[in-house]
Amino acid sequence: MTDSPKTALIDAIRPEIKALPESGIVEVVNYARLKKDLVPLWVGEGDKPTPAFIADAAMAALKRGETFYTYQRGIPPLRQALADYLSRSYAAKIDPERVFVTVGGMSAIKETMQMLLNPGDEIVVPSPCWPNVAAAAEIMGGVVRPVMLTFGNRGWTLDIEKVMAACGPKTKIIFVNSPGNPTGYMMSRAEQKALLEFARKRGLWIVADEVYGRLVYDRKAAPSFLEIADPDERVVVVNTFSKNWAMTGWRMGWVVASKQLGQVYENLVQYNTSGVPTFLQHGAVAALNDGDAFLAEQVARCAKGRDMVTETFSRLPRVRYAPPDGAFYAFFSVDGEDDARALAFKLVDRANVGLAPGTAFGPGAPNFMRLCFACSLDRLGEGLARLEKALK
Ligand SMILES: Cc1ncc(COP(=O)(O)O)c(C=O)c1O
């Protein structure tokens, strides 16, 4: 036998799984995880723990014995709270029967890919994009067709015509992430309508990732497909508790889809994760019913962070940047630095700042860097001061 046992084992697994890339963000994090005094701005989360009123509700549920198997679709009070939250956030009346609770936004996306993609089916994904979307499709044998966003004076934009042109006979899904990670791109209502019309004509599914839908700076919420799609058409909207209420570690998200898919999502949840722990679901009810003020504070803090980034970058002539319309990332390039991955390592070594390289987000931004500004202004200020020194 010429191969080492390790190689032989790897070769024995499914090619789709073997081909999965290491996360380009985690690669940098692993390199620098133990570095002293590093300012971490690489991961998509803030630095505040979940607020006490949410944690307390989960702990009370845990203490009173909410520790059994439960509804795969989510406990009824949580589905009702989600419907209420969505109905007051958006110009749409959402029926709780259309809402399914998942293990994070990640499972919401993965289970939707499992539901829709046959091997060889194509999914059109505007890029750069959160990399887990492509990976979730590829695990199913789906083929990702990226469509590049472009960067200009107005920040990141997407040409909807290009999205439509990328749809061929094998296309099954158009994926839309608005506001977008890492770019902050926000799709307009008119663009959403045009895309929905196109998808209807072609019989395509739209999977809309709206996890940053409330993290916007000039309005209450980003335009949502919930507001224009009929309840029973080929539109699935995925979302998460992670970002709005500082709950990334809870692993809780949800799907809004047609009622007709209720049994399907119930089955997918059953056979993937068997659902979210019951006591956590009670915490999530508190987040939805009592968390509007916390969310408003988060948005206000992110807005200040965004201003701080804009002010610092305006002093750096090599930096190309436009403030994002939504989400909590600055996605910028530095003249003379063409390799984002190399720059990420360099900034760790020389400036002790952790950023995510654009190369981690699929094609389209090989020389861009992502900085998360959802943290405390002290931490952000320190990170920006170090960046300024390093990039001057
Ligand atoms: C665009 C986008 N979608 C979905 C998610 C999934 O969030 P989670 O699985 O933490 O709920 C993230 C997380 O960073 C994201 O950025």
Side-chain angles (χ1 to χ4, degrees):
M1 197 160 103
T2 50
D3 283 344
S4 73
K6 189 170 166 219
T7 314
L9 276 188
I10 289 290
D11 284 344
I13 70 175
R14 286 178 52 218
E16 291 85 356
I17 305 301
K18 192 174 150 189
L20 290 174
E22 177 184 1
S23 157
I25 310 172
V26 175
E27 185 192 10
V28 183
V29 174
N30 281 343
Y31 174 72
R33 203 184 282 279
L34 300 177
K35 250 192 129 219
K36 268 219 170 91
D37 301 327
L38 178 125
V39 179
L41 304 172
W42 40 31
V43 183
E45 62 186 350
D47 53 358
K48 271 194 192 170
T50 306
F53 71 91
I54 301 175
D56 288 346
M59 282 190 287
L62 180 59
K63 283 189 183 149
R64 67 173 182 265
E66 303 271 5
T67 54
F68 296 94
Y69 289 135
T70 188
Y71 298 84
Q72 264 63 51
R73 300 182 200 200
I75 58 172
L78 179 54
R79 296 176 77 202
Q80 184 62 54
L82 275 164
D84 294 345
Y85 162 76
L86 292 168
S87 301
R88 70 177 182 271
S89 301
Y90 297 102
K93 179 94 187 73
I94 303 299
D95 180 341
E97 288 298 313
R98 294 181 59 203
V99 180
F100 313 112
V101 176
T102 58
V103 174
M106 183 65 238
S107 282
I109 293 170
K110 196 185 89 192
E111 286 159 8
T112 303
M113 301 294 165
Q114 289 174 333
M115 174 173 79
L116 296 178
L117 289 177
N118 290 301
D121 283 348
E122 293 180 0
I123 170 170
V124 171
V125 179
S127 186
C129 180
W130 187 55
N132 297 28
V133 175
E138 283 163 356
I139 285 177
M140 297 313 301
V143 177
V144 176
R145 293 275 171 241
V147 173
M148 303 314 160
L149 290 130
T150 46
F151 182 74
N153 292 339
R154 289 186 299 127
W156 287 89
T157 52
L158 176 65
D159 183 346
I160 298 294
E161 301 285 331
K162 280 206 294 189
V163 175
M164 296 176 187
C167 295
K170 291 191 171 168
T171 306
K172 185 85 177 272
I173 303 174
I174 300 173
F175 183 85
V176 177
N177 172 214
S178 168
N181 172 13
T183 58
Y185 159 75
M186 186 150 69
M187 188 175 271
S188 71
R189 166 72 76 233
E191 289 168 329
Q192 285 183 335
K193 281 189 173 162
L195 205 57
L196 182 59
E197 224 22 76
F198 173 80
R200 279 173 181 160
K201 269 193 208 129
R202 297 280 290 266
L204 303 176
W205 287 77
I206 289 181
V207 177
D209 176 331
E210 301 189 349
V211 312
Y212 299 100
R214 297 296 309 280
L215 290 157
V216 288
Y217 302 108
D218 64 347
R219 59 187 85 198
K220 181 175 164 201
S224 167
F225 276 95
L226 293 176
E227 295 165 317
I228 56 169
D230 296 332
D232 289 316
E233 64 180 322
R234 297 178 185 199
V235 173
V236 173
V237 179
V238 296
N239 214 319
T240 181
F241 288 87
S242 290
K243 316 286 173 174
N244 287 359
W245 299 285
M247 293 169 69
T248 50
W250 290 54
R251 313 309 308 126
M252 290 193 67
W254 72 89
V255 168
V256 182
S258 164
K259 267 194 236 186
Q260 294 170 23
L261 299 173
Q263 189 60 48
V264 174
Y265 275 102
E266 179 177 316
N267 294 347
L268 285 166
V269 168
Q270 175 69 267
Y271 302 126
N272 273 291
T273 59
S274 297
V276 172
T278 321
F279 51 94
L280 296 184
Q281 296 198 42
H282 286 278
V285 171
L288 293 162
N289 289 345
D290 305 319
D292 286 358
F294 178 79
L295 175 56
E297 273 167 39
Q298 291 257 90
V299 174
R301 189 167 84 144
C302 286
K304 282 192 193 143
R306 189 180 73 138
D307 290 348
M308 210 168 178
V309 172
T310 306
E311 200 194 303
T312 307
F313 284 178
S314 71
R315 294 195 296 270
L316 297 175
R318 289 170 66 208
V319 169
R320 305 269 162 248
Y321 159 79
D325 291 330
F328 43 47
Y329 308 105
F331 199 51
F332 64 97
S333 67
V334 182
D335 288 353
E337 301 283 353
D338 294 333
D339 180 345
R341 183 172 170 274
L343 182 58
F345 286 109
K346 207 153 75 178
L347 287 172
V348 163
D349 290 336
R350 301 200 190 149
N352 221 4
V353 178
L355 301 187
T359 40
F361 301 92
N367 55 336
F368 275 74
M369 304 296 292
R370 191 191 74 175
L371 175 157
C372 176
F373 54 73
C375 58
S376 76
L377 297 181
D378 281 352
R379 177 190 282 192
L380 181 63
E382 178 58 30
L384 286 171
R386 292 183 191 184
L387 265 185
E388 183 166 6
K389 216 167 131 202
L391 298 179
K392 248 191 178 147

